[in-house]
Amino acid sequence: MKKIVVHVAKNETRAALIENEKLVEFYVERSTEDQLVGNIYVGKVVNVLPGMQAAFVDIGIEKNAFLYIDDAILPGEYEACEKEWETNIREILHEGQKILVQVKKEAFGNKGPRVTTHVSLPGRYLVYLPMANYVGISRKITSETERLRLKEIGESIREEKEGLIIRTVAEGIDTEYLKDDLKFLRTQWLKIQDKSKSVTAPSLIYQDLGLVQRLVRDFLSDEVKQFVIDDGPTFRRLKEAIQSFAPELTERLYLYTEKEYIFDAFHIQGEIEKALKRKVWLKSGGYIVIDQTEALTVIDVNTGKFTGHSHLEDTVLKTNIEAAIEIARQLRLRDIGGIIIIDFIDMKEESHREKILQVLQEETKKDKTKTNILGLTQLGLVEMTRKKIRQNLGSILLKTCPFCDGTGRVVSEEVIKEKIERELKRYKEDSAFHTFLLEAHPNVISVFVGSHQENLDRLEQELGKKITVKGNPNFHYHQYQIHFLT
């Protein structure tokens, strides 16, 4: 059973997807931040880089977009080339060229967004590919009979040199609904083409739907038992929209009117806070540790408090199975993309290793973002990739610590103590004052003073001056002040 819970505030909308009473996906959209993925621009090529087989495109935002050669070659172009690197990007693009592109990946860190010329327009039942020439079926539709039926419908309604991807929600849907969806998307594409001819580069000519509308389009189906939202005007607009294309689903839409914060009422806020932590505890007492860098995520599995009820191999297998299920959920919830390395607890039996890969494979099938499990390395590590489209949860809700600069570690109290002592010794010969007043964090003060003031007495004797200390809990570990008293 699925639920969608949405909180609408003045400058921010938050949405949670719940499956079987567990939070599995979380989205944030802020009015102060532009959501770029799916938007279509008329851009201008500003730099072509043959050595990288790529180009930078000005689409009218702060950072130029990156266009790789695979995303620049349209289907049917350069068909004589057996390998993409036989085509030089300068044969396709040149500086100053006006080009129609769609954002496929948000900007990350110092990198601008990634764009493609392979436009795709998502509808309710279809994704329209005006420059492709095939029919694809959602991998989540598993019935071969249904896949064949939808494939035949897709082939019958599409025109030559246009492509379709039939979405999961189309399962069991009549042909007429697919035809209507395709008609709407074709009209949309014609409008985009017409507009692209009349604007100057760079210009935004198509903007994807907002978060709430995307949730309705992409998720609302018979599988969703409740779509709960806490904003009256948005609720009424959604109800009107749903009645126009799926009136049978309007009864799934609920307006939340209670005083309690909606995410607290549905036990979501606590799960979000857990998803921001490095360590995730498992029900058995084991835990996983998630460490992220810009391109690579490493996940370590530990038995923790779980000692099992039989021999070691069974304990390890149970912990690893529970971890595999939780890892798949955390990847979705945190929206982790890129290369992922998982260090499961060592398993001696080959059948156990195969079981873990099978569980991981089954759990990742629930994820709409493309994942690819490559298998076990010689060191027993699981390698996998997950498509990176938007910023992950941590990047949205957290910022780099100004004290540790993102390392997660700070200088120890002992190091701070040594630094303070060195600074005090600089004033040993200064006769203008006779007392130091040291103000620092209480933990630093306790180390500085030492047991029974031994360190403080020793230092006073060495300096020939009195030292008074004051613990300030509002100070950070790094922070201290030395005052000179006459």
Side-chain angles (χ1 to χ4, degrees):
M1 185 184 79
K2 292 183 181 180
K3 291 179 190 174
I4 297 171
V5 181
V6 180
H7 168 59
V8 180
K10 185 178 179 181
N11 296 314
E12 182 180 82
T13 299
R14 295 187 171 201
L17 175 63
I18 300 169
E19 290 180 0
N20 300 319
E21 302 304 321
K22 279 195 171 185
L23 179 65
V24 293
E25 293 183 22
F26 181 70
Y27 303 92
V28 179
E29 186 172 86
R30 297 185 176 116
S31 59
T32 55
E33 298 173 0
D34 292 330
Q35 306 296 314
L36 302 180
V37 170
N39 291 355
I40 298 175
Y41 297 83
V42 172
K44 182 170 70 175
V45 178
V46 293
N47 199 6
V48 179
L49 308 170
M52 294 178 64
Q53 288 287 63
F56 286 105
V57 181
D58 179 8
I59 60 173
I61 63 172
E62 184 180 355
K63 294 176 182 175
N64 289 332
F66 184 79
L67 176 63
Y68 185 59
I69 188 168
D70 280 353
D71 294 314
I73 298 178
L74 295 175
E77 290 186 320
Y78 304 95
E79 288 179 345
C81 300
E82 293 181 2
K83 298 176 180 178
E84 62 89 10
W85 56 78
E86 292 179 0
T87 301
N88 191 297
I89 195 163
R90 286 202 178 275
E91 298 173 35
I92 306 166
L93 301 173
H94 59 268
E95 281 87 354
Q97 180 179 342
K98 188 176 174 181
I99 185 171
L100 186 74
V101 293
Q102 184 173 35
V103 178
K104 63 184 291 188
K105 186 186 289 187
E106 293 280 359
F108 293 97
N110 295 321
K111 298 177 182 177
R114 185 166 171 179
V115 295
T116 179
T117 58
H118 307 166
V119 172
S120 62
L121 297 174
R124 171 69 177 165
Y125 303 109
L126 307 170
V127 178
Y128 180 55
L129 310 172
M131 301 173 190
N133 189 23
Y134 66 89
V135 174
I137 311 294
S138 167
R139 60 192 172 96
K140 292 188 178 180
I141 298 176
T142 55
S143 166
E144 286 302 321
T145 303
E146 181 63 6
R147 293 181 68 85
L148 182 60
R149 183 187 78 89
L150 291 172
K151 178 85 170 177
E152 289 175 351
I153 293 173
E155 293 290 358
S156 68
I157 64 176
R158 78 180 181 99
E159 295 176 356
E160 190 178 356
K161 292 187 178 179
E162 70 176 5
L164 308 173
I165 296 174
I166 298 179
R167 308 184 73 172
T168 308
V169 73
E171 189 169 9
I173 294 296
D174 292 340
T175 305
E176 291 306 311
Y177 288 97
L178 301 179
K179 282 184 178 179
D180 290 344
D181 211 22
L182 179 55
K183 183 179 178 181
F184 170 76
L185 294 171
R186 276 192 189 128
T187 302
Q188 203 171 46
W189 173 236
L190 290 173
K191 289 178 180 177
I192 290 168
Q193 286 183 302
D194 289 342
K195 192 173 181 180
S196 70
K197 295 170 185 174
S198 60
V199 300
T200 56
S203 292
L204 171 65
I205 59 172
Y206 169 83
Q207 191 163 16
D208 198 11
L209 298 175
L211 174 58
V212 178
Q213 290 77 17
R214 290 201 310 272
L215 289 170
V216 172
R217 181 190 69 193
D218 298 342
F219 288 103
L220 189 59
S221 66
D222 287 336
E223 291 183 344
V224 176
K225 302 307 177 188
Q226 286 184 312
F227 190 118
V228 189
I229 189 164
D230 63 358
D231 182 67
T234 308
F235 168 81
R236 288 186 284 275
R237 286 194 297 271
L238 287 183
K239 191 170 184 179
E240 187 178 338
I242 294 168
Q243 282 175 334
S244 67
F245 67 81
E248 72 282 2
L249 296 178
T250 53
E251 63 183 24
R252 313 288 175 93
L253 188 63
Y254 295 88
L255 176 62
Y256 181 81
T257 57
E258 302 298 323
K259 290 183 179 179
E260 187 181 12
Y261 177 44
I262 189 171
F263 278 8
D264 285 338
F266 284 86
H267 310 292
I268 294 168
Q269 189 60 35
E271 289 299 311
I272 296 169
E273 291 168 5
K274 287 180 185 177
L276 298 174
K277 294 180 178 179
R278 181 171 173 258
K279 182 183 287 188
V280 180
W281 286 97
L282 306 173
K283 283 186 178 180
S284 66
Y287 64 90
I288 61 176
V289 177
I290 302 173
D291 286 315
Q292 291 179 250
T293 66
E294 190 171 334
L296 175 71
T297 299
V298 178
I299 302 175
D300 186 33
V301 181
N302 298 276
T303 53
K305 303 171 187 174
F306 183 49
T307 55
H309 303 290
S310 54
H311 56 79
L312 177 62
E313 276 294 302
D314 285 343
T315 301
V316 168
L317 179 61
K318 287 176 182 177
T319 305
N320 281 341
I321 288 174
E322 189 181 3
I325 295 169
E326 184 61 29
I327 286 167
R329 184 176 83 97
Q330 289 293 329
L331 294 179
R332 293 175 68 188
L333 178 54
R334 299 175 188 232
D335 204 4
I336 295 172
I339 301 167
I340 299 158
I341 304 294
I342 307 171
D343 185 12
F344 285 103
I345 304 166
D346 288 342
M347 295 168 284
K348 295 179 181 179
E349 297 184 26
E350 181 64 28
S351 61
H352 289 183
R353 291 193 287 269
E354 290 175 359
K355 176 67 176 177
I356 295 304
L357 289 176
Q358 181 186 346
V359 169
L360 194 59
Q361 195 83 51
E362 288 299 315
E363 291 298 315
T364 54
K365 284 180 182 178
K366 301 173 184 177
D367 190 351
K368 65 181 178 62
T369 301
K370 185 178 179 182
T371 58
N372 184 21
I373 298 172
L374 305 174
L376 285 159
T377 68
Q378 289 183 334
L379 294 174
L381 305 173
V382 173
E383 290 181 318
M384 65 181 290
T385 60
R386 188 173 184 271
K387 193 173 182 181
K388 197 172 185 178
I389 301 173
R390 292 181 172 87
Q391 288 187 325
N392 61 53
L393 185 64
S395 299
I396 296 170
L397 299 183
L398 302 177
K399 71 173 187 177
T400 301
C401 171
F403 297 103
C404 72
D405 198 26
T407 65
R409 293 172 176 268
V410 294
V411 175
S412 72
E413 295 94 331
E414 285 287 347
V415 173
I416 299 297
K417 185 202 84 169
E418 295 295 331
K419 183 178 179 183
I420 292 171
E421 286 190 7
R422 288 195 300 272
E423 188 167 341
L424 292 176
K425 287 175 182 178
R426 292 193 201 124
Y427 301 97
K428 180 179 179 180
E429 305 300 330
D430 195 328
S431 60
F433 62 94
H434 59 77
T435 301
F436 293 105
L437 171 60
L438 170 65
E439 189 175 7
H441 189 278
N443 287 20
V444 174
I445 292 295
S446 65
V447 173
F448 182 82
V449 171
S451 61
H452 306 293
Q453 288 203 323
E454 288 177 2
N455 183 64
L456 190 58
D457 293 341
R458 174 192 58 77
L459 193 58
E460 284 183 334
Q461 188 176 3
E462 184 178 346
L463 295 172
K465 298 181 187 296
K466 184 174 175 57
I467 302 173
T468 302
V469 295
K470 179 183 177 182
N472 189 335
N474 295 320
F475 274 26
H476 189 270
Y477 275 24
H478 287 195
Q479 186 181 356
Y480 64 88
Q481 289 182 358
I482 298 174
H483 306 277
F484 307 101
L485 306 179
T486 56

